[in-house]
Amino acid sequence: RSAIGANVTVTAGSLRQTAEVQGGKGTGNQHSLPVEFGLGSWNQSVTVEVWFPSGRTRRLTGVKADRLLTVVEPT
């Protein structure tokens, strides 16, 4: 349910960044589940693509920069 292992890509113009949702590393350590992307001074809309471990994908276009999104895996 937390999308651990999902890959998230944000495209802002020619800039493309990818991160993975990670659950933990080693013994007794926990990563923060939200993934963050640094867009600098970019203030136009971006495209967000999420590849879930199940193989399902979700693509969001026209997303405003500087937002917190909750992306739900499609059924």
Side-chain angles (χ1 to χ4, degrees):
R1 291 199 278 178
S2 298
I4 294 171
N7 285 302
V8 183
T9 298
V10 170
T11 305
S14 62
L15 176 66
R16 187 176 173 115
Q17 298 181 43
T18 301
E20 181 179 321
V21 179
Q22 297 182 350
K25 183 177 181 182
T27 304
N29 295 318
Q30 180 68 33
H31 288 286
S32 175
L33 291 174
V35 293
E36 298 179 16
F37 297 90
L39 302 176
S41 62
W42 186 268
N43 61 2
Q44 298 178 35
S45 63
V46 300
T47 299
V48 178
E49 298 172 278
V50 183
W51 289 269
F52 293 91
S54 66
R56 296 182 179 111
T57 61
R58 173 76 43 131
R59 185 173 199 262
L60 306 169
T61 58
V63 176
K64 292 183 179 180
D66 199 23
R67 298 287 186 262
L68 175 66
L69 299 176
T70 300
V71 180
V72 178
E73 183 175 6
T75 56

